[in-house]
Every structure is written in C-alpha cells, then in structure tokens.
Amino acid sequence: LSWPTASELYVQLKCNLAQLYIKQQRWVDAKQVATATLAVDPTCEKALYRRALVHITFADWVEARRDLEELMTSHPENSEAARKLVEVKQALREKVEQMKGVGVKLSNAMEDMTSDGTLRKLCVLIQGHAHPADARWTWPWGTEEWLGPSRGKAVLAVH
C-alpha cells in the first residue's frame, strides 16, 4: 500500500476545491486555488485546465491561451484542452478584429468631454461581458447610489 505524499494530497484536494468553486461560479476563488496548486505542481493538468476555464469565463483570452498551451505541452493527449485552445485562438482573432479602429473611436468619445471634466457619455464593459444589456452602468463603474437624482452627467476618475 502506497500513501500519497503531502504535496500530492495537497494538489488533489486543491484541484477538487477549484472544481467545486467553478460549479458554484466562484470564479475568483477557483482561479486562486488553481494558481496555488500550480505553485506546487506547475504542470498539473486539472489545475491548468480549470484556471484556463476561469480565464475563458472572464474573456481573458491571452491568459487562457497561455494555460492551455502549457497544458498541451505537458499533456498533449488532452483532447478537451486542444478543443478549448482552438476556441480561445478564434476568440483572440475576433478580439483583434474588433479592436481595429478603437483609437479613432476613443478620440471621438473624448470630444464628448466638457472643459470641466464631466463626461456626457460613459460606456465601460467589464471583463468577461462582451455585450451586456446596458454596459454604461455595469459594476463596478457605476451604481444607482453614485448617480443620485441626476442622470445627465457622470464624473469618471481614472487612476
């Protein structure tokens, strides 16, 4: 009878915990646990795949590709990871296509600013939501409490 080492047991338990967090849609927790697992075992198949799933959920295509490519290097037989990698590469190509002309759009948007620094329009997409119903006031960029009775202007402070 062979018992797992402490680090092997740690990796197994953390991978299971990451999967539980994914099922509960606790994405940040899942990412943290998978990352902690990879600190102990950098080629852990389950941890790489689960962290890639979190990156995909947040539309963080570059990090998802990085994890999936690492996974395919150490575990080339993983067909599900290979399929996800194709999807992520396609999403990256689409993102590049969408970003064409963004500088012009941004400069046009700046024309909507007044001399006192208030903004006539505000449209901020949060990571992972390519097309929310109303992106202008999506958390954490705007809430009802912040807006108060006035809906005409918003002040945007960028640090």
Side-chain angles (χ1 to χ4, degrees):
L1 185 62
S2 172
W3 293 95
T5 66
S7 63
E8 290 170 339
L9 188 56
Y10 175 86
V11 166
Q12 290 173 359
L13 291 173
K14 288 290 187 177
C15 283
N16 289 345
L17 186 57
Q19 182 61 29
L20 172 67
Y21 287 152
I22 288 170
K23 293 280 186 188
Q24 294 175 338
Q25 296 183 356
R26 292 173 56 185
W27 307 112
V28 173
D29 293 330
K31 180 182 174 184
Q32 289 173 341
V33 169
T35 300
T37 304
L38 292 167
V40 175
D41 182 0
T43 62
C44 178
E45 185 174 14
K46 290 179 180 179
L48 283 167
Y49 185 75
R50 289 172 183 162
R51 190 169 70 177
L53 290 178
V54 172
H55 290 310
I56 290 168
T57 299
F58 288 124
D60 189 352
W61 308 117
V62 173
E63 290 299 320
R65 182 183 65 194
R66 185 174 293 131
D67 281 346
L68 290 168
E69 286 175 345
E70 177 65 31
L71 175 56
M72 293 308 299
T73 298
S74 55
H75 303 280
E77 72 286 350
N78 190 322
S79 60
E80 181 62 19
R83 187 182 67 72
K84 285 285 185 196
L85 183 56
V86 169
E87 291 175 17
V88 166
K89 286 180 177 180
Q90 177 60 36
L92 274 168
R93 282 190 294 276
E94 290 172 7
K95 182 179 177 182
V96 167
E97 192 62 33
Q98 284 178 342
M99 295 303 288
K100 289 183 179 175
V102 166
V104 172
K105 291 177 188 173
L106 183 58
S107 65
N108 290 342
M110 296 303 284
E111 291 176 8
D112 289 331
M113 289 188 75
T114 62
S115 61
D116 65 353
T118 58
L119 196 64
R120 299 269 181 235
K121 294 183 200 172
L122 175 63
C123 184
V124 178
L125 297 176
I126 61 171
Q127 192 174 19
H129 298 281
H131 305 286
D134 185 0
R136 292 171 293 171
W137 305 111
T138 304
W139 182 91
W141 308 108
T143 65
E144 291 295 320
E145 302 87 56
W146 296 352
L147 296 175
S150 171
R151 298 286 191 265
K153 290 185 178 181
V155 176
L156 176 62
V158 180
H159 301 280

